[in-house]
Amino acid sequence: MAWQTIDRLTPVVDEKAPPVLSEAVREKIRSFFPRYETRRAALLPALHVVQDALGHVSKAAMKEIAEVLEIPPSAVMDTLSFYTHFWDHPKGKKVIVLCRSLSCQVMGADRVLQEVKDQLKVEEHGTTADGQYSLLTEECLAACDHAPCMLINEKMHKRVKADDVAKIIKDVKNADVTMPRSHLFDKPAAAAVELPKTSDVKEMKDA
Ligand code: FES
C-alpha cells in the first residue's frame, strides 16, 4: 500500500468497539520482546502476527499494537504503509505477488502479470469478486536466478511462463508451503535464549 495521510479531526477508530486483538495475539507479540532492546523494535513481527491472525491490520488493530508496544499509533501506520506486504483492509484468501524488478522483467514478468489479470479479471491491488485472490506487484522477491517469480501467499513459484498461469491458479495447493516456517518466528522467546549475547560473540572473536 502507498503512504497515507489521515484526517486527524475525524475519529478512525470506534473507541467503544471491543478490542480486535485477542489475548493470545497480544501474548504472541509480547513473546518477541526478549529478542530486542526496545519494544518498538518488535513492530515488524507484531504486524506479521496480527496479519496472520486477522488477515489484515485495521486501524483499530494498529492502535492496539501501539498500546502493546508503547509507541504512538502513527509509528505503526508509518511502518505498515511502507510495506506492500501489509494490508489495512481485507484482502483475498490468497495473495498473488509478482516480481516487477529487472531480472523478472527481462524474463517476461509483464506477460505473466497480464495473464494473471486476464485469468482472474482483477487489477493490481484489487481482489477478485469471490474474495479468493488479491494481486500485487513488488520489487525483487530474492529469487532472481529463477525469474520470473511469483508468490502465492508464502509459496514461491519459479520460472513462471504466461502459459503456466491458468494451471497454477487452478491448483488448490498452489499456496501450500512444504518447508517449515522460521523457528525464530514460531518460537521467538525460546530462540532468544539460544542466541549468543553480543558480548559473548565479541569474547569468542577475541579468544
Ligand atoms: S528480480 Fe525478480 S526475484 Fe529478483
Side-chain angles (χ1 to χ4, degrees):
M1 63 185 264
W3 288 99
Q4 291 187 354
T5 54
I6 57 171
D7 167 11
R8 291 182 185 281
L9 298 177
T10 308
V12 291
V13 173
D14 179 358
E15 298 290 346
K16 292 186 186 139
V20 293
L21 301 192
S22 67
E23 188 46 38
V25 167
R26 287 164 191 264
E27 194 48 47
K28 173 83 175 169
I29 294 171
R30 287 193 282 264
S31 73
F32 284 89
F33 291 171
R35 290 186 58 197
Y36 303 105
E37 289 189 5
T38 64
R39 290 187 175 202
R40 174 186 284 265
L43 176 52
L44 274 178
L47 289 170
H48 279 284
V49 168
V50 172
Q51 185 156 289
D52 272 7
L54 305 179
H56 69 288
V57 186
S58 65
K59 300 267 185 343
M62 290 182 217
K63 182 168 176 285
E64 291 174 34
I65 290 170
E67 287 163 5
V68 177
L69 300 185
E70 298 175 350
I71 59 176
S74 58
V76 179
M77 180 180 270
D78 277 353
T79 300
L80 178 141
S81 61
F82 183 78
Y83 294 99
T84 53
H85 179 79
F86 297 118
W87 293 64
D88 69 351
H89 58 281
K91 57 182 167 56
K93 199 169 155 201
K94 294 179 182 176
V95 179
I96 296 181
V97 181
L98 280 150
C99 175
R100 60 173 178 241
S101 290
L102 186 60
S103 298
C104 289
Q105 285 291 307
V106 168
M107 297 303 287
D110 274 352
R111 289 194 297 283
V112 177
L113 174 62
Q114 191 55 53
E115 187 63 25
V116 173
K117 288 180 178 177
D118 292 347
Q119 290 280 334
L120 294 178
K121 311 273 183 293
V122 72
E123 290 298 319
E124 277 189 67
H125 290 274
T127 297
T128 54
D130 62 2
Q132 285 299 303
Y133 286 100
S134 294
L135 174 64
L136 281 180
T137 61
E138 284 185 357
E139 299 305 334
C140 184
L141 300 178
C144 318
D145 48 337
H146 301 291
C149 296
M150 176 169 90
L151 277 173
I152 303 185
N153 289 350
E154 295 185 20
K155 163 95 173 177
M156 178 72 86
H157 295 262
K158 300 171 178 172
R159 298 192 182 95
V160 180
K161 298 188 197 77
D163 290 346
D164 301 334
V165 169
K167 190 170 159 211
I168 293 172
I169 288 173
K170 258 190 215 143
D171 180 4
V172 292
K173 295 187 175 170
N174 58 16
D176 287 6
V177 179
T178 47
M179 287 168 56
R181 289 192 67 169
S182 161
H183 176 68
L184 288 176
F185 186 83
D186 289 335
K187 295 197 168 120
V193 172
E194 291 161 16
L195 291 172
K197 291 185 204 138
T198 308
S199 56
D200 293 342
V201 172
K202 186 171 180 308
E203 279 168 24
M204 281 156 58
K205 274 191 191 156
D206 292 344

